[in-house]
Amino acid sequence: MLRVSKLTDYAVVVLSRLEAEGGVQTAPGLASATGLGEPTVAKVLKMLAQAGLVEGLRGARGGYRLTRPLAQLPLSEVIVAIDGPIALTACVDGGFGLCEAEHVCPVRGRWDPVNAAIRGALSAITVAEIAAPKGLVPTLPPPVPVLVAE
Amino acid sequence: MLRVSKLTDYAVVVLSRLEAEGGVQTAPGLASATGLGEPTVAKVLKMLAQAGLVEGLRGARGGYRLTRPLAQLPLSEVIVAIDGPIALTACVDGGFGLCEAEHVCPVRGRWDPVNAAIRGALSAITVAEIAAPKGLVPTLPPPVPVLVAE
DNA sequence: GCCAATCCGGACCAGTAAGGTCCGGTTTCC
DNA sequence: GGAAACCGGACCTTACTGGTCCGGATTGGC
């Protein structure tokens, strides 16, 4: 656990491609460019558009466009857009203790500082940093298939 | 997403109780003290024992004991003990790109710095900090049941 | 003015993993 | 010798992710 969803991973890839190419690009185009499934890419784009990280242009000749350069886009925003609010535990955030069974629920940990620390760490990293440091490297040289220790 | 499992939450509660009371305590005792299910508490304790965060004493008059004060126990260790290694995405860590389909997998993001940042943030927080800042507050005063906006 | 391309919003289903429980075995104290 | 407790699993149910698909709305081109 403590994972982000695959969609978030895809989002970074798509955003990276979006910036590398520049301009307006269609969902099918991005799908073939990234090698991901077309419906999946469309889903990711829709989520990013709802969050305002990309702009969707409808109609023929439509597509998606970045609203910000990736260097100004903290990773935390992408995660929030795809995975929802960053809260490590279920019953926190707002913290009125309104669990279903508040009087029974013994989990009175203060996870808020933890959440804040995670948010801080994730806000300090931009998508540009993890997308592709210097240009895209679509394929690595095939490594020697050594025996992988399980 | 980006959640830790409930077991991790329980672990913090159990550890907190373990330190508050001091000495050796049994799984059933901790269960009733925390209000959690007995098998669940036992499961958490077993995991913590395997990770060396608590010490299990077998036999009658057995139980569990802390191996370290909580102030010296970073939260990251608890998370690793319960949730496994901290790696936000599936195909990272070690990073030989040995996904099942490496030549197809377009996810070439560098998540390693992100993982490192998360680990750093989680290592800087001790269990003592989130467990119960000043003594246990087992029950909050019942808040006025205002209408909760959905 | 019609048609095609494209985004939009949702419903839908299969696979996986968390959450929680239970059982037999072993160790230790009374 | 018996009871109390830990140990190491297996087991099942539920929820959610991951991925696909469809009808509707919008816009540009012929």
Side-chain angles (χ1 to χ4, degrees):
Chain A
M1 245 221 189
L2 199 59
R3 301 245 174 91
V4 295
S5 66
K6 281 190 178 182
L7 278 302
T8 302
D9 205 345
Y10 298 159
V12 172
V13 175
V14 170
L15 287 171
S16 169
R17 185 70 196 174
L18 218 32
E19 179 163 273
E21 205 69 21
V24 177
Q25 294 174 69
T26 69
L30 286 166
S32 67
T34 56
L36 299 172
E38 196 169 311
T40 302
V41 170
K43 189 177 193 174
V44 170
L45 257 350
K46 275 185 278 188
M47 292 196 229
L48 294 176
Q50 280 186 343
L53 305 189
V54 300
E55 184 188 5
L57 307 176
R58 308 181 63 164
R61 293 305 195 118
Y64 290 94
R65 175 172 46 185
L66 286 177
T67 58
R68 253 183 293 175
L70 296 190
Q72 296 175 19
L73 182 62
L75 180 59
S76 56
E77 288 197 32
V78 179
I79 294 179
V80 169
I82 306 290
D83 284 344
I86 295 176
L88 290 195
T89 54
C91 35
V92 268
D93 232 27
F96 284 109
L98 293 179
C99 279
E100 57 274 4
E102 172 199 349
H103 52 291
V104 176
C105 181
V107 185
R108 290 262 166 269
R110 303 265 195 282
W111 284 90
D112 288 354
V114 182
N115 292 328
I118 299 292
R119 289 197 195 96
L122 257 25
S123 298
I125 304 177
T126 71
V127 179
E129 291 175 51
I130 64 170
K134 299 181 181 180
L136 288 179
V137 266
T139 52
L140 288 174
V144 186
V146 291
L147 295 180
V148 176
E150 178 62 28
Chain B
M1 243 220 187
L2 197 61
R3 301 243 173 90
V4 295
S5 66
K6 282 189 177 181
L7 279 302
T8 302
D9 204 345
Y10 298 159
V12 172
V13 175
V14 169
L15 287 170
S16 169
R17 184 73 196 172
L18 218 33
E19 179 163 274
E21 204 69 21
V24 177
Q25 294 174 70
T26 68
L30 287 167
S32 67
T34 56
L36 299 172
E38 197 168 312
T40 302
V41 171
K43 189 177 193 174
V44 169
L45 259 348
K46 275 185 279 189
M47 292 195 227
L48 293 176
Q50 282 186 341
L53 305 189
V54 300
E55 183 187 6
L57 307 175
R58 308 183 62 164
R61 294 305 198 116
Y64 290 94
R65 176 171 46 186
L66 286 178
T67 58
R68 252 182 294 174
L70 296 190
Q72 297 173 18
L73 182 61
L75 180 59
S76 56
E77 288 196 32
V78 179
I79 294 179
V80 169
I82 306 290
D83 284 346
I86 296 176
L88 290 196
T89 52
C91 34
V92 269
D93 233 26
F96 283 111
L98 293 179
C99 280
E100 56 276 1
E102 172 202 348
H103 51 291
V104 175
C105 181
V107 185
R108 290 262 165 268
R110 302 268 195 281
W111 284 90
D112 288 354
V114 181
N115 292 327
I118 299 292
R119 289 197 195 96
L122 259 24
S123 299
I125 303 176
T126 72
V127 179
E129 290 175 53
I130 65 169
K134 298 182 180 179
L136 287 179
V137 267
T139 52
L140 288 175
V144 186
V146 291
L147 295 180
V148 177
E150 177 62 30

